[in-house]
Amino acid sequence: MSGLPEHAVPDEVDTDDWRLAVRGSVGQPRTFDAADLADLPTETFSADFDCEAGWVAEGLSWRGVRVGDLLARAEPSPESRFALVHAMDGDYACAFPLDRLESAVLALELDGEPLPVAHGGPARLVPTGDGDCWESVKWVDAIELTADRPDDTAREIALGRID
């Protein structure tokens, strides 16, 4: 299908009742389910996905919701400058400056099909522009806005898998 390698799905990942929470320094904490996301405008873009492990998946076609559109519905507070994107495995989380995260896409489809759980479904963060592969958070279940840069685990966990 996509050329992305499949990795084991952690036991903690349960997609049956998946929801996405947008919380933290927001005026209107929100929870989105798949139907809510289906009602939002979507974007499709193609890009190569290269990993620090040395492989490249070429020409992937992602479709999803622009993160900025989701965040706007939660009314970020004026002091919000960063966000921590959480994976539903309970361990993986990646920090972003808010202005960079707003341009990312929460991908719901890959190559015209619903995003498989093995590739991060039901929702995977796909940053646009330059970035590192470990910033593409699989199994996203929460986006937490903060005034200060939060601690993240993504780089350490992802690079630990390469060694």
Side-chain angles (χ1 to χ4, degrees), residues 53-129:
W55 55 266
V56 177
E58 295 180 344
L60 301 179
S61 178
W62 301 98
R63 183 173 180 83
V65 176
R66 184 73 59 182
V67 175
D69 290 342
L70 292 171
L71 299 181
R73 284 159 175 76
E75 301 173 15
S77 65
E79 64 268 8
S80 296
R81 294 184 24 234
F82 297 94
L84 189 61
V85 179
H86 296 269
M88 71 173 79
D89 70 356
D91 291 326
Y92 203 90
C94 191
F96 292 90
L98 195 55
D99 59 348
R100 180 158 178 251
L101 181 62
E102 289 172 332
S103 67
V105 170
L106 187 68
L108 308 170
E109 295 181 11
L110 176 59
D111 295 334
E113 299 290 332
L115 185 62
V117 175
H119 292 310
R124 178 179 185 151
L125 182 72
V126 182
T128 55

Side-chain angles (χ1 to χ4, degrees), residues 40-63:
L40 297 175
T42 59
E43 296 187 20
T44 301
F45 72 97
S46 294
D48 293 345
F49 190 96
D50 60 345
C51 183
E52 293 184 30
W55 55 266
V56 177
E58 295 180 344
L60 301 179
S61 178
W62 301 98
R63 183 173 180 83

